[in-house]
Every structure is written in C-alpha cells, then in structure tokens.
Amino acid sequence: PKELLEVIVVDDDSLEPIAARLPRPDDLSVRVIRQERTGPGGARNAGVAVAEGGVIAFVDDDCAPASDWLCRLVAPLSGQTRAIAGGETVNALTGNPYSVASQALVSYLYGHYATGRPTLRFFTTNNLALRRDLFREVGGFDPQFRQAAAEDREFCVRCARHGIELVHVHEAVVYHAHALTWRSFWRQHFTYGREAYRFHALQERADGRPFEVEPLAFYTGMLTYPFRQHERRALAVTGLLGMSQLANTSGFLREAVRSRAQSRAARRETTRA
C-alpha cells in the first residue's frame, strides 16, 4: 500500500542537483537527500539512516522495477526470518552488445555462486531487500568501496557470516538500462578489478586465507554461457566477456601494485620515525 511506502533518493553529489527535477506524485512520500560524494555504499547508508520503514529495498537510478517488484521481493522477509532477498535483473538495452555482455556476466555469476561456496554468493544492490534491523546488525555497506564495484559482494559476504540467508527471488524483476560503449565497458570492468583486490584483501584479513584464483572451469563456463543461453550474438558476447576478464585482471594488478607501493612507503616512514 502506498501509505506504507517511502521513497528515499540519495543525490551523491551529482553535477546538477536532482531535487528540483524529480517527479513527486501527490500520493507517494518522496524524500531527496543531497550529500558530498561518498560512493554508492555510503549513499545507501545515508538513505537507510533516515528511513522509517522496517524493510529496506534498494534500486539504482538506471533501473525500472516491474510493477509487482516490491511485493515479490519482500515476500521472503516476513516475520523474524533472517534473510536478504535479491531479485532478477534484466538488461533493458538489448541492442547494446556491451550492456548485454555486462548483464550476462552478472547472470552467470548468480548461477555459479548459487551452486558454489555459499560465502561467495552475492546480489547486486540494484535489486536487493532486507529488514532494517539486520542491515544495522551487519553494519551497513563498507564506505571504503567508493566505486560502484564490490561493495555489494562484500556486504552479502558479511551478511552470510552473520547467519543471514541469501534468497534469490526470480519473480522480482528490475529492468536495467545502463548504456555502455567500448571505453566505458573496459573502464567498468577495470574498476571491478581494482575493487576486487580491495575485497579479497579484506577477506584475507578476516579469514586468514590467501586469495585463490577461480578454477579453469569457472572461466570456460563463463565463455560458453552465451551459447548455452542461446544468445543470438553469442560469439560477440563471448568476446566481450573475455575482454571483461582482461580488464578485470588489469585493474586487479594495478591495485595490487599501488597497494604494495603504499605499504613500502609506510614502512619506510615508520623506519625513519
């Protein structure tokens, strides 16, 4: 019911403030918060901080939820169930091969991790919901992740450590319209690689286990995924998936080199002191 729904939009320091341009239906509570840039994790934390509802649902500014999205997404969260619900994201830009490949990668990872190690399961935060008390219990999103990458994965792993079940709600659909070009596709996955290094460094400190490269079957499964899904441009999408992994690896190595250089510089400063 609309009287039980509040919409909170966090303007994370956009070039043009969106408050004046945002439609505000008379029968819907819409609140806009503008802040200095913190990144997606910090922006979502700011939204939750002022939310009054008992259940929090997240969606992004380039997404259009289906009309029954919210009802279906929050259905598994009734009572005292310790669960985080993640819905199904569908690429809305079917004519853009880069957008198709980007969504194919997410869909492949969902399927892979659903049958793999449970601590590595994750949901993207453009289609995710959980109770507000559980969000606060796990400490919200880690603001160290200032790019739109890996903050969702780290959050979901932390939820799993708190005994919160990850429930995939296939019927809760969000249509994702993220237009990409060759350059922005590369930059997106390069950033994923950089933030993946940060993610694995945090996991290594938390678990005491070194980072492990995925087995060869993971990558062969990824590259054959478009063919198994009968994608009409399967060969092109497969090539872009391979490109995404090259960009990801480049970003990962870039961040590894930068992090180690910072560590050496810090040790030298400590020695001089």
Side-chain angles (χ1 to χ4, degrees):
K2 288 186 178 180
E3 63 270 16
L4 296 180
L5 175 66
E6 62 174 341
V7 177
I8 299 169
V9 181
V10 182
D11 181 347
D12 199 35
D13 201 20
S14 60
L15 293 177
E16 294 184 36
I18 65 169
R21 298 181 285 119
L22 193 69
R24 295 171 184 264
D26 294 334
D27 58 348
L28 191 63
S29 169
V30 179
R31 180 175 180 180
V32 180
I33 301 170
R34 182 170 170 83
Q35 62 177 21
E36 292 186 7
R37 186 178 182 277
T38 63
R44 295 187 183 103
N45 290 343
V48 174
V50 301
E52 298 178 358
V55 173
I56 306 295
F58 297 100
V59 69
D60 285 353
D61 60 357
D62 57 0
C63 295
S67 60
D68 61 351
W69 164 71
L70 192 57
C71 291
R72 292 185 179 277
L73 186 63
V74 303
L77 307 180
S78 60
Q80 296 302 308
T81 304
R82 293 178 62 81
I84 178 171
E88 193 76 17
T89 302
V90 176
N91 173 42
L93 303 178
T94 55
N96 185 315
Y98 303 101
S99 301
V100 171
S102 187
Q103 183 56 53
L105 178 59
V106 172
S107 298
Y108 171 73
L109 293 175
Y110 268 30
H112 173 77
Y113 289 139
T115 57
R117 292 162 286 183
T119 54
L120 285 180
R121 289 187 60 185
F122 81 104
F123 295 131
T124 55
T125 35
N126 61 358
N127 193 349
L128 181 152
L130 75 165
R131 295 206 321 265
R132 185 174 59 168
D133 61 328
L134 294 182
F135 183 87
R136 289 177 170 173
E137 177 186 321
V138 301
F141 291 97
D142 188 338
Q144 293 183 74
F145 294 90
R146 294 182 61 86
Q147 305 296 324
E151 86 289 347
D152 44 11
R153 189 176 179 187
E154 191 278 334
F155 177 75
C156 288
V157 168
R158 209 160 3 104
C159 284
R161 288 203 180 105
H162 281 250
I164 300 172
E165 182 184 5
L166 276 67
V167 179
H168 191 184
V169 187
H170 297 270
E171 302 82 9
V173 176
V174 160
Y175 297 94
H176 188 204
H178 185 52
L180 292 166
T181 63
W182 186 95
R183 185 183 297 273
S184 60
F185 181 81
W186 175 275
R187 186 169 59 246
Q188 178 189 60
H189 291 280
F190 185 85
T191 300
Y192 286 170
R194 293 189 64 182
E195 294 301 303
Y197 178 83
R198 185 189 303 275
F199 167 79
H200 286 295
L202 288 173
Q203 299 312 303
E204 185 173 339
R205 287 198 292 269
D207 298 338
R209 292 184 300 181
F211 165 65
E212 296 179 3
V213 177
E214 293 284 357
L216 181 61
F218 170 83
Y219 297 100
T220 56
M222 178 193 302
L223 296 177
T224 57
Y225 180 76
F227 294 94
R228 288 184 278 118
Q229 296 300 305
H230 305 290
E231 166 61 45
R232 62 186 178 88
R233 291 169 294 186
L235 188 60
V237 173
T238 292
L240 289 172
L241 289 176
M243 174 180 159
S244 77
Q245 296 309 292
L246 179 60
N248 191 291
T249 302
S250 300
F252 190 98
L253 294 176
R254 156 84 179 276
E255 195 63 20
V257 170
R258 190 191 68 84
S259 177
R260 289 170 185 172
Q262 287 181 335
S263 296
R264 287 195 297 269
R267 286 195 297 269
R268 285 195 297 269
E269 287 295 324
T270 301
T271 302
R272 280 197 291 266

